């Protein structure tokens, strides 16, 4: 019998110890974007300053404080930019919450004092927040590519209640294929920079941003949309041509 000392690169590894890397995750090239203790490696959008007081580390989680549920412009972004990558994160919503994890964020776009501009993995309480019914064909629901592509709805038995932890996963391959995963299920897949992608952008709120979502690299962003949302286990690794 052959024994494998490590799992293949395309196998997702389950690590039940919060904000740590297992030996296998280290072999696969993951590194932590949140160590469970502080916000080192993050800064405020459009600023070199560290995240503001609305972002706090509480019991090993990142929490954003609630206000009136509107975009505050107080998003935080990574200090580094990323191209082809796999991002894993756990998130927990409160009732009626709206937030997002954005990637390929471009700070040269004028966000007019609101949230930074980038491709968005939508975080939303679909049952209680009105945004779920806006957009087109459900493209603003949980795990969707916000305002562009709706996520594939999970069967009810695989859905998690508001207040429970979910796992999101974003994969951006070197060939521009992008996937959104929710709790182990692939719910969105598209090809960045493709003709279909460009057509979707042309019919969205992002039309005015030239080259939206097509940069070779960009920042990762956690959105402050005025609702309490928590994050933990935020990890990233580069994906190369052999993945």
């Amino acid at each position: 019998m052959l024994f494998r000392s490590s799992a293949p690169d395309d196998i997702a590894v389950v690590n039940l110890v919060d904000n740590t890397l297992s030996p296998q995750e280290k072999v696969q090239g993951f590194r932590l974007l949140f160590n469970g203790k502080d916000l080192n490696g993050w800064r405020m959008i459009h600023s070199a300053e560290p995240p503001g007081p609305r972002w706090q580390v509480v019991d090993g989680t990142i929490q954003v404080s609630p206000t009136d549920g509107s975009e505050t412009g107080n998003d935080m972004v990574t200090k580094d930019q990323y191209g082809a990558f796999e991002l894993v994160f756990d998130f927990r919503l409160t009732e009626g919450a709206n937030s997002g994890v954005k990637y390929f964020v471009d700070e040269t776009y004028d966000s007019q004092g609101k949230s930074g501009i980038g491709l968005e993995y939508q975080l939303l309480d679909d049952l209680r927040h009105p945004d779920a019914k806006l957009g087109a064909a459900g493209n603003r629901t949980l795990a969707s590519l916000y305002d562009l592509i709706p996520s594939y709805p999970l069967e009810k038995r695989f859905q998690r209640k508001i207040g429970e932890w979910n796992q999101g996963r974003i994969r951006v391959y070197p060939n521009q294929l992008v996937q959104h995963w929710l709790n182990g299920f692939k719910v969105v897949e598209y090809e960045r920079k493709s003709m279909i992608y460009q057509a979707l952008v042309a019919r969205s709120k992002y039309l005015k941003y030239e080259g939206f979502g097509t940069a070779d690299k960009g920042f990762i962003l956690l959105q402050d949309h005025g609702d309490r949302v928590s994050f933990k286990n935020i990890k990233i690794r580069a994906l190369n041509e052999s993945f």
Side-chain angles (χ1 to χ4, degrees), residues 15 19 25 35 96 100 137 141 150 163 166 177 184 193 206 209 211 232 240-241:
N15 177 3
N19 306 312
E25 287 174 312
N35 61 15
T141 55
N166 296 266
L177 182 70
K193 303 185 182 183
Y206 300 115
Y209 300 109
K232 65 178 180 178
N240 56 34
E241 297 291 347

Side-chain angles (χ1 to χ4, degrees), residues 9 16 19 53 101 148 178 183 195 214-215 221:
D9 276 351
L16 300 180
N19 306 312
V101 175
L148 295 172
V178 182
N183 298 327
M195 295 297 292
T214 61
L221 176 151

Side-chain angles (χ1 to χ4, degrees), residues 78-95:
T78 54
K79 292 181 178 179
D80 296 329
Q81 297 189 68
Y82 301 92
F85 62 86
E86 179 173 14
L87 175 71
V88 185
F89 55 95
D90 289 354
F91 65 92
R92 182 175 61 191
L93 301 173
T94 52
E95 287 194 4

Side-chain angles (χ1 to χ4, degrees), residues 83 103-104 119 172 175-178 190-194 197 213-217:
Y103 51 108
F104 292 102
L119 298 165
V172 181
N175 66 357
Q176 308 305 330
L177 182 70
V178 182
Y190 68 100
E191 184 181 344
R192 204 167 64 100
K193 303 185 182 183
S194 68
Y197 169 81
T214 61
D216 291 334
K217 289 186 177 182

